[in-house]
Amino acid sequence: MKNNIPFLDLKSINALHRAELIQAFERVLDSGRYILGEELNLFEKSFASYCETKHCAGVSNGLDALHLILRSFGIGAGDEVIVPSNTYIATWLAVTYAGAVPVPVEPLESSYNISPALIESAITPRTKAIIAVHLYGQPADMDAIMAIANRYNLKVIEDAAQAHGALYKGRKVGGLGHAAGFSFYPGKNLGALGDAGAITSNDDLLIEKVRMLLNYGSKVKYYNDVQGFNCRLDELQAALLGVKLPHLDIETQLRCRIAQQYTQGLQGLPLHLPIVAEGTSPVWHLYVLRSEKRDELQSKLAELGIVTLIHYPIAPHQQSAYKTFNQLSFPIAEKIHHQVLSLPLSPTMSQSDVNQVIAAVRACVV
Ligand SMILES: *Cc1c(COP(=O)(O)O)cnc(C)c1O
């Protein structure tokens, strides 16, 4: 019997942890402390240790994480920040939110991540930072990016929203640049039951500034040193994330197994399958393939009950939100946006679900 295969089955993922999540909820409920308490401290310590970084600061979401990092590095009006032309729009929004200008650089077609060879020609005297996105869970080429940044004295910020636990040359993302932003949006590999995010870094001063900015610009209650924000991660989400973090590596292994089976099962078709860059261990937030007949493939798969998504249908520079960029041309990003298709990928998929997806793609590709 054929099932419908959902894209991501969050209900079944969270059901695995039901008893522990309810326990955590009751603990927070009964504690009487709902903001900036022990649950947050504990989660920050665990996540810093997981990312092999000195510090972690919990924040409200991934966009705020990137925004606060930029602000804390003193980046704002008059500054430029290099971003990938191919990314989720939040990477760009963080830059404009801080008052700076995003300067797009094209990705490599092999990894979909920013092309280090193209960064240097985008640097101007106003450039202050590079945001390297580990898109779809594949680490960007951080050694090459750091080498350029060091030469020009630029900050490197990792957008690790899709890459919790990914390895680059044996090192965890989150500690490879000067600071990193994570998202715990429910659909991310480590997902809260609502919005949540974190900043990781080895930089004491940066984290001190971040902690001040995320809490109204105040170190001591009712004394405000700077005009800050309210970007706190609340106790409840921190407690729920603390339940899920110890299970993340197992869920990542399940994602890797599914990705491996997709790659084996889909050989020999007129498709571009994901390529894993040497020295990296991706965490398969998404399994993204490319087809010249993407839309046709997607609708045929839908007829067979296979839900696929497009990450993403419109490049940031072509969005109405960025009208001043609409006339610019980033052909690699545009091509990627026209061709990508993400297959279902849940750590809770059964073997028969995986087989069904592979069979359906084989049947639908022309
Ligand atoms: C999800 C995501 C973000 C934003 O995270 P939110 O928690 O939704 O604000 C930023 N960058 C990338 C690449 C993302 O996938």
Side-chain angles (χ1 to χ4, degrees):
M1 202 194 73
K2 300 279 186 207
N3 298 314
N4 278 354
I5 313 266
F7 185 75
L8 172 69
D9 192 350
L10 280 182
K11 204 166 127 181
S12 74
I13 292 171
N14 288 322
L16 295 173
H17 315 297
R18 182 182 178 88
E20 275 187 281
L21 290 169
I22 289 173
Q23 236 174 40
F25 170 75
E26 289 183 344
R27 199 170 63 237
V28 174
L29 176 67
D30 294 339
S31 75
R33 174 117 199 206
Y34 307 114
I35 296 282
L36 296 183
E38 208 37 48
E39 298 287 349
L40 177 63
N41 283 337
L42 271 174
F43 175 70
E44 287 178 341
K45 286 200 173 69
S46 317
F47 196 65
S49 150
Y50 182 80
C51 294
E52 300 164 3
T53 56
K54 196 166 166 191
H55 303 289
C56 166
V59 294
S60 34
N61 56 63
L63 172 59
D64 286 341
L66 295 170
H67 170 235
L68 290 179
I69 293 169
L70 290 164
R71 292 255 183 195
S72 300
F73 279 138
I75 296 166
D79 296 331
E80 292 177 357
V81 176
I82 290 175
V83 295
S85 56
N86 175 56
T87 181
Y88 180 55
I89 198 163
T91 314
W92 286 45
L93 289 174
V95 176
T96 45
Y97 193 0
V101 177
V103 175
V105 166
E106 288 269 67
L108 293 160
E109 259 186 74
S110 54
S111 68
Y112 307 121
N113 282 324
I114 195 164
S115 172
L118 302 178
I119 290 177
E120 202 155 357
S121 61
I123 295 174
T124 76
R126 288 181 297 281
T127 309
K128 291 285 161 27
I130 303 166
I131 303 185
V133 184
H134 306 306
L135 200 66
Y136 310 146
Q138 302 243 21
D141 188 357
M142 291 301 292
D143 279 355
I145 295 166
M146 290 305 288
I148 299 162
N150 289 338
R151 240 183 293 136
Y152 289 88
N153 198 23
L154 306 177
K155 296 294 183 193
V156 174
I157 299 158
E158 292 173 83
D159 180 343
Q162 303 189 355
H164 321 69
L167 296 174
Y168 175 81
K169 302 188 179 173
R171 295 157 61 210
K172 286 266 174 76
V173 306
L176 302 172
H178 298 102
F182 284 88
S183 166
F184 306 122
Y185 176 81
K188 300 291 160 87
N189 286 23
L190 179 61
L193 306 189
D195 276 312
I199 293 166
T200 55
S201 179
N202 295 311
D203 181 339
D204 301 346
L205 193 62
L206 172 86
I207 288 291
E208 194 184 318
K209 285 190 181 155
V210 160
R211 289 195 187 285
M212 192 159 75
L213 275 188
L214 72 83
N215 190 29
Y216 299 124
S218 159
K219 266 191 257 186
V220 178
K221 201 165 185 178
Y222 305 133
Y223 290 81
N224 298 79
D225 303 311
V226 292
Q227 295 170 14
F229 304 88
N230 177 352
C231 299
R232 298 178 303 227
L233 172 59
D234 60 60
E235 288 285 281
L236 182 57
Q237 294 303 340
L240 301 174
L241 286 163
V243 167
K244 293 185 72 180
L245 179 58
H247 303 282
L248 177 60
D249 283 343
I250 294 166
E251 290 181 7
T252 299
Q253 280 169 26
L254 295 168
R255 285 175 181 275
C256 290
R257 244 185 75 76
I258 296 165
Q260 228 169 36
Q261 294 187 61
Y262 280 162
T263 295
Q264 269 164 22
L266 299 175
Q267 291 297 319
L269 301 173
L271 294 171
H272 299 275
L273 300 178
I275 297 166
V276 176
E278 216 182 295
T280 69
S281 306
V283 293
W284 300 102
H285 174 58
L286 296 168
Y287 188 92
V288 178
L289 49 76
R290 276 192 293 130
S291 161
E292 268 115 68
K293 299 180 181 159
R294 189 264 314 274
D295 294 341
E296 199 184 328
L297 176 59
Q298 185 177 38
S299 56
K300 282 183 171 174
L301 285 170
E303 282 167 30
L304 296 180
I306 312 289
V307 180
T308 57
L309 293 176
I310 293 168
H311 299 94
Y312 299 89
I314 304 171
H317 73 276
Q318 297 185 316
Q319 298 278 2
S320 306
Y322 285 110
K323 282 211 162 54
T324 54
F325 291 80
N326 286 176
Q327 299 312 313
L328 303 178
S329 158
F330 296 96
I332 300 173
E334 286 160 30
K335 177 171 148 190
I336 289 170
H337 283 75
H338 282 120
Q339 297 187 344
V340 286
L341 188 68
S342 307
L343 297 185
L345 184 49
S346 283
T348 52
M349 281 173 89
S350 70
Q351 185 61 55
S352 85
D353 291 342
V354 176
N355 294 344
Q356 194 182 320
V357 173
I358 292 170
V361 174
R362 295 201 75 92
C364 293
V365 167
V366 279

Short mmCIF file of all heavy atoms in Angstrom, two decimals, residues 111-155:
data_model
loop_
_atom_site.label_atom_id
_atom_site.label_comp_id
_atom_site.label_asym_id
_atom_site.label_seq_id
_atom_site.Cartn_x
_atom_site.Cartn_y
_atom_site.Cartn_z
N SER A 111 28.41 22.99 -4.21
CA SER A 111 28.00 22.94 -2.79
C SER A 111 26.84 23.87 -2.48
O SER A 111 26.28 23.79 -1.39
CB SER A 111 29.18 23.33 -1.91
OG SER A 111 29.50 24.71 -2.10
N TYR A 112 26.50 24.77 -3.40
CA TYR A 112 25.50 25.82 -3.20
C TYR A 112 25.93 26.87 -2.18
O TYR A 112 25.16 27.77 -1.84
CB TYR A 112 24.12 25.23 -2.81
CG TYR A 112 23.64 24.17 -3.77
CD1 TYR A 112 23.36 22.88 -3.35
CD2 TYR A 112 23.48 24.46 -5.12
CE1 TYR A 112 22.93 21.90 -4.24
CE2 TYR A 112 23.05 23.50 -6.02
CZ TYR A 112 22.77 22.22 -5.58
OH TYR A 112 22.34 21.27 -6.46
N ASN A 113 27.15 26.74 -1.66
CA ASN A 113 27.65 27.70 -0.67
C ASN A 113 28.52 28.75 -1.35
O ASN A 113 29.04 28.54 -2.46
CB ASN A 113 28.46 26.98 0.40
CG ASN A 113 27.56 26.29 1.42
OD1 ASN A 113 26.50 26.82 1.75
ND2 ASN A 113 27.97 25.13 1.87
N ILE A 114 28.73 29.87 -0.66
CA ILE A 114 29.46 31.01 -1.21
C ILE A 114 30.82 30.57 -1.79
O ILE A 114 31.51 29.74 -1.21
CB ILE A 114 29.64 32.11 -0.14
CG1 ILE A 114 30.07 33.44 -0.77
CG2 ILE A 114 30.63 31.68 0.95
CD1 ILE A 114 29.88 34.65 0.16
N SER A 115 31.15 31.12 -2.96
CA SER A 115 32.39 30.76 -3.64
C SER A 115 33.53 31.61 -3.11
O SER A 115 33.58 32.81 -3.36
CB SER A 115 32.21 30.99 -5.14
OG SER A 115 33.45 30.82 -5.79
N PRO A 116 34.49 31.02 -2.38
CA PRO A 116 35.57 31.82 -1.79
C PRO A 116 36.35 32.59 -2.85
O PRO A 116 36.77 33.73 -2.61
CB PRO A 116 36.46 30.78 -1.11
CG PRO A 116 35.57 29.61 -0.86
CD PRO A 116 34.59 29.59 -1.99
N ALA A 117 36.49 32.03 -4.05
CA ALA A 117 37.28 32.67 -5.11
C ALA A 117 36.65 33.99 -5.57
O ALA A 117 37.33 34.84 -6.15
CB ALA A 117 37.43 31.73 -6.29
N LEU A 118 35.36 34.17 -5.34
CA LEU A 118 34.67 35.38 -5.81
C LEU A 118 34.53 36.45 -4.73
O LEU A 118 34.04 37.54 -4.99
CB LEU A 118 33.28 35.01 -6.36
CG LEU A 118 33.26 33.99 -7.50
CD1 LEU A 118 31.82 33.68 -7.91
CD2 LEU A 118 34.06 34.48 -8.69
N ILE A 119 34.96 36.13 -3.52
CA ILE A 119 34.75 37.07 -2.40
C ILE A 119 35.62 38.31 -2.54
O ILE A 119 35.16 39.45 -2.38
CB ILE A 119 35.00 36.37 -1.04
CG1 ILE A 119 33.89 35.36 -0.75
CG2 ILE A 119 35.09 37.41 0.09
CD1 ILE A 119 34.08 34.56 0.53
N GLU A 120 36.90 38.08 -2.89
CA GLU A 120 37.87 39.17 -2.83
C GLU A 120 37.46 40.36 -3.69
O GLU A 120 37.59 41.51 -3.28
CB GLU A 120 39.25 38.65 -3.23
CG GLU A 120 40.35 39.52 -2.70
CD GLU A 120 41.68 38.77 -2.54
OE1 GLU A 120 41.72 37.54 -2.79
OE2 GLU A 120 42.66 39.43 -2.17
N SER A 121 36.92 40.09 -4.88
CA SER A 121 36.58 41.20 -5.78
C SER A 121 35.34 41.96 -5.30
O SER A 121 35.03 43.03 -5.82
CB SER A 121 36.38 40.69 -7.21
OG SER A 121 35.33 39.76 -7.23
N ALA A 122 34.64 41.43 -4.29
CA ALA A 122 33.47 42.14 -3.75
C ALA A 122 33.84 43.01 -2.54
O ALA A 122 33.00 43.75 -2.04
CB ALA A 122 32.40 41.13 -3.35
N ILE A 123 35.09 42.92 -2.10
CA ILE A 123 35.52 43.68 -0.92
C ILE A 123 35.81 45.13 -1.31
O ILE A 123 36.46 45.39 -2.32
CB ILE A 123 36.77 43.02 -0.28
CG1 ILE A 123 36.40 41.63 0.26
CG2 ILE A 123 37.35 43.89 0.84
CD1 ILE A 123 37.58 40.83 0.78
N THR A 124 35.29 46.06 -0.52
CA THR A 124 35.55 47.50 -0.71
C THR A 124 36.06 48.05 0.63
O THR A 124 36.05 47.32 1.63
CB THR A 124 34.26 48.27 -1.10
OG1 THR A 124 33.46 48.43 0.09
CG2 THR A 124 33.46 47.57 -2.18
N PRO A 125 36.44 49.32 0.67
CA PRO A 125 36.87 49.89 1.97
C PRO A 125 35.75 49.88 3.01
O PRO A 125 36.02 50.03 4.20
CB PRO A 125 37.26 51.33 1.61
CG PRO A 125 37.57 51.30 0.14
CD PRO A 125 36.67 50.26 -0.44
N ARG A 126 34.50 49.73 2.58
CA ARG A 126 33.39 49.73 3.54
C ARG A 126 33.05 48.34 4.06
O ARG A 126 32.23 48.18 4.96
CB ARG A 126 32.14 50.34 2.88
CG ARG A 126 32.22 51.85 2.67
CD ARG A 126 30.95 52.41 2.05
NE ARG A 126 30.71 51.86 0.72
CZ ARG A 126 31.33 52.27 -0.39
NH1 ARG A 126 32.21 53.24 -0.33
NH2 ARG A 126 31.08 51.70 -1.56
N THR A 127 33.65 47.29 3.47
CA THR A 127 33.33 45.92 3.89
C THR A 127 33.79 45.67 5.32
O THR A 127 34.94 45.96 5.66
CB THR A 127 34.02 44.90 2.96
OG1 THR A 127 33.72 45.26 1.61
CG2 THR A 127 33.52 43.49 3.24
N LYS A 128 32.88 45.14 6.14
CA LYS A 128 33.22 44.87 7.54
C LYS A 128 33.15 43.38 7.89
O LYS A 128 33.79 42.95 8.84
CB LYS A 128 32.25 45.63 8.48
CG LYS A 128 32.43 47.14 8.45
CD LYS A 128 33.68 47.52 9.21
CE LYS A 128 34.24 48.89 8.92
NZ LYS A 128 33.37 49.93 8.47
N ALA A 129 32.36 42.63 7.15
CA ALA A 129 32.16 41.23 7.53
C ALA A 129 31.71 40.39 6.35
O ALA A 129 31.27 40.91 5.32
CB ALA A 129 31.10 41.14 8.64
N ILE A 130 31.86 39.08 6.53
CA ILE A 130 31.35 38.09 5.58
C ILE A 130 30.41 37.18 6.36
O ILE A 130 30.78 36.70 7.43
CB ILE A 130 32.49 37.23 5.00
CG1 ILE A 130 33.56 38.09 4.33
CG2 ILE A 130 31.95 36.16 4.04
CD1 ILE A 130 34.87 37.34 4.03
N ILE A 131 29.19 36.97 5.84
CA ILE A 131 28.34 35.93 6.44
C ILE A 131 28.43 34.69 5.57
O ILE A 131 28.06 34.70 4.39
CB ILE A 131 26.87 36.37 6.57
CG1 ILE A 131 26.76 37.67 7.39
CG2 ILE A 131 26.06 35.25 7.25
CD1 ILE A 131 25.32 38.11 7.67
N ALA A 132 28.97 33.62 6.15
CA ALA A 132 29.08 32.33 5.46
C ALA A 132 27.90 31.48 5.90
O ALA A 132 27.75 31.19 7.09
CB ALA A 132 30.38 31.65 5.81
N VAL A 133 27.05 31.10 4.96
CA VAL A 133 25.89 30.26 5.28
C VAL A 133 26.26 28.80 5.00
O VAL A 133 26.83 28.50 3.94
CB VAL A 133 24.68 30.65 4.42
CG1 VAL A 133 23.45 29.84 4.81
CG2 VAL A 133 24.39 32.14 4.54
N HIS A 134 25.96 27.92 5.94
CA HIS A 134 26.15 26.48 5.71
C HIS A 134 24.81 25.95 5.18
O HIS A 134 24.02 25.34 5.92
CB HIS A 134 26.55 25.77 7.00
CG HIS A 134 27.74 26.37 7.69
ND1 HIS A 134 28.96 26.56 7.04
CD2 HIS A 134 27.93 26.80 8.95
CE1 HIS A 134 29.82 27.09 7.90
NE2 HIS A 134 29.23 27.24 9.06
N LEU A 135 24.58 26.20 3.89
CA LEU A 135 23.24 25.98 3.34
C LEU A 135 22.90 24.49 3.22
O LEU A 135 23.75 23.69 2.82
CB LEU A 135 23.12 26.67 1.97
CG LEU A 135 21.70 26.94 1.49
CD1 LEU A 135 20.99 27.96 2.38
CD2 LEU A 135 21.70 27.43 0.05
N TYR A 136 21.67 24.18 3.52
CA TYR A 136 21.14 22.81 3.46
C TYR A 136 21.85 21.85 4.44
O TYR A 136 21.66 20.64 4.37
CB TYR A 136 21.23 22.21 2.03
CG TYR A 136 20.69 23.09 0.92
CD1 TYR A 136 21.28 23.07 -0.34
CD2 TYR A 136 19.59 23.91 1.13
CE1 TYR A 136 20.79 23.86 -1.38
CE2 TYR A 136 19.09 24.71 0.10
CZ TYR A 136 19.70 24.67 -1.15
OH TYR A 136 19.21 25.45 -2.17
N GLY A 137 22.73 22.39 5.32
CA GLY A 137 23.45 21.55 6.27
C GLY A 137 24.85 21.18 5.83
O GLY A 137 25.52 20.38 6.49
N GLN A 138 25.32 21.76 4.70
CA GLN A 138 26.68 21.50 4.18
C GLN A 138 27.59 22.66 4.58
O GLN A 138 27.33 23.80 4.21
CB GLN A 138 26.68 21.48 2.65
CG GLN A 138 25.75 20.47 2.04
CD GLN A 138 26.50 19.43 1.24
OE1 GLN A 138 27.71 19.23 1.45
NE2 GLN A 138 25.82 18.75 0.36
N PRO A 139 28.68 22.37 5.29
CA PRO A 139 29.57 23.47 5.71
C PRO A 139 30.18 24.20 4.51
O PRO A 139 30.59 23.59 3.52
CB PRO A 139 30.67 22.76 6.50
CG PRO A 139 30.06 21.47 6.93
CD PRO A 139 29.10 21.08 5.84
N ALA A 140 30.23 25.54 4.62
CA ALA A 140 30.92 26.36 3.61
C ALA A 140 32.43 26.14 3.77
O ALA A 140 32.89 25.60 4.78
CB ALA A 140 30.57 27.82 3.82
N ASP A 141 33.19 26.57 2.77
CA ASP A 141 34.65 26.35 2.79
C ASP A 141 35.32 27.37 3.71
O ASP A 141 35.85 28.39 3.28
CB ASP A 141 35.20 26.45 1.36
CG ASP A 141 36.66 26.03 1.29
OD1 ASP A 141 37.26 25.72 2.35
OD2 ASP A 141 37.22 26.02 0.18
N MET A 142 35.29 27.09 5.01
CA MET A 142 35.65 28.09 6.02
C MET A 142 37.13 28.45 6.02
O MET A 142 37.47 29.60 6.30
CB MET A 142 35.21 27.60 7.41
CG MET A 142 33.71 27.57 7.61
SD MET A 142 32.90 29.19 7.38
CE MET A 142 33.54 30.09 8.78
N ASP A 143 38.02 27.50 5.73
CA ASP A 143 39.45 27.85 5.73
C ASP A 143 39.74 28.93 4.70
O ASP A 143 40.44 29.91 4.97
CB ASP A 143 40.32 26.61 5.44
CG ASP A 143 40.52 25.75 6.69
OD1 ASP A 143 40.06 26.17 7.78
OD2 ASP A 143 41.10 24.65 6.56
N ALA A 144 39.19 28.75 3.51
CA ALA A 144 39.40 29.72 2.44
C ALA A 144 38.78 31.07 2.81
O ALA A 144 39.37 32.14 2.56
CB ALA A 144 38.82 29.19 1.13
N ILE A 145 37.60 31.03 3.41
CA ILE A 145 36.91 32.27 3.79
C ILE A 145 37.67 33.00 4.89
O ILE A 145 37.87 34.22 4.84
CB ILE A 145 35.45 31.96 4.22
CG1 ILE A 145 34.65 31.41 3.02
CG2 ILE A 145 34.77 33.20 4.80
CD1 ILE A 145 33.32 30.77 3.37
N MET A 146 38.15 32.25 5.88
CA MET A 146 38.89 32.86 6.99
C MET A 146 40.21 33.47 6.50
O MET A 146 40.65 34.51 7.01
CB MET A 146 39.18 31.82 8.08
CG MET A 146 37.96 31.37 8.87
SD MET A 146 37.03 32.71 9.65
CE MET A 146 38.15 33.17 10.97
N ALA A 147 40.84 32.81 5.53
CA ALA A 147 42.12 33.32 5.02
C ALA A 147 41.91 34.71 4.38
O ALA A 147 42.69 35.64 4.63
CB ALA A 147 42.71 32.34 4.01
N ILE A 148 40.85 34.85 3.59
CA ILE A 148 40.56 36.15 2.97
C ILE A 148 40.21 37.17 4.06
O ILE A 148 40.71 38.31 4.06
CB ILE A 148 39.38 36.03 1.97
CG1 ILE A 148 39.74 35.05 0.85
CG2 ILE A 148 39.00 37.39 1.41
CD1 ILE A 148 38.54 34.52 0.08
N ALA A 149 39.35 36.76 5.00
CA ALA A 149 38.91 37.68 6.06
C ALA A 149 40.10 38.18 6.87
O ALA A 149 40.18 39.37 7.20
CB ALA A 149 37.91 36.97 6.97
N ASN A 150 41.02 37.30 7.17
CA ASN A 150 42.19 37.71 7.96
C ASN A 150 43.04 38.71 7.21
O ASN A 150 43.58 39.65 7.79
CB ASN A 150 43.02 36.48 8.37
CG ASN A 150 42.29 35.64 9.42
OD1 ASN A 150 41.42 36.16 10.13
ND2 ASN A 150 42.61 34.36 9.50
N ARG A 151 43.14 38.52 5.90
CA ARG A 151 43.94 39.45 5.09
C ARG A 151 43.34 40.85 5.08
O ARG A 151 44.05 41.85 5.06
CB ARG A 151 44.04 38.91 3.65
CG ARG A 151 45.48 38.66 3.23
CD ARG A 151 45.60 38.19 1.80
NE ARG A 151 45.01 36.86 1.62
CZ ARG A 151 44.23 36.52 0.61
NH1 ARG A 151 43.94 37.39 -0.34
NH2 ARG A 151 43.77 35.30 0.50
N TYR A 152 42.01 40.93 5.11
CA TYR A 152 41.34 42.23 5.04
C TYR A 152 40.76 42.68 6.39
O TYR A 152 40.03 43.66 6.45
CB TYR A 152 40.22 42.18 3.99
CG TYR A 152 40.73 42.11 2.58
CD1 TYR A 152 41.02 40.88 1.98
CD2 TYR A 152 40.96 43.27 1.84
CE1 TYR A 152 41.50 40.81 0.68
CE2 TYR A 152 41.44 43.21 0.54
CZ TYR A 152 41.71 41.97 -0.03
OH TYR A 152 42.18 41.91 -1.32
N ASN A 153 41.09 41.93 7.44
CA ASN A 153 40.62 42.29 8.78
C ASN A 153 39.08 42.36 8.86
O ASN A 153 38.52 43.33 9.38
CB ASN A 153 41.26 43.63 9.20
CG ASN A 153 41.18 43.83 10.69
OD1 ASN A 153 41.05 42.86 11.45
ND2 ASN A 153 41.21 45.08 11.12
N LEU A 154 38.43 41.34 8.33
CA LEU A 154 36.96 41.29 8.33
C LEU A 154 36.49 40.27 9.36
O LEU A 154 37.19 39.29 9.65
CB LEU A 154 36.43 40.86 6.95
CG LEU A 154 36.92 41.67 5.75
CD1 LEU A 154 36.35 41.05 4.47
CD2 LEU A 154 36.51 43.13 5.88
N LYS A 155 35.30 40.49 9.90
CA LYS A 155 34.67 39.49 10.77
C LYS A 155 34.00 38.44 9.89
O LYS A 155 33.44 38.76 8.83
CB LYS A 155 33.60 40.14 11.65
CG LYS A 155 34.16 41.16 12.63
CD LYS A 155 35.05 40.50 13.65
CE LYS A 155 35.55 41.52 14.68
NZ LYS A 155 36.66 40.96 15.49
#
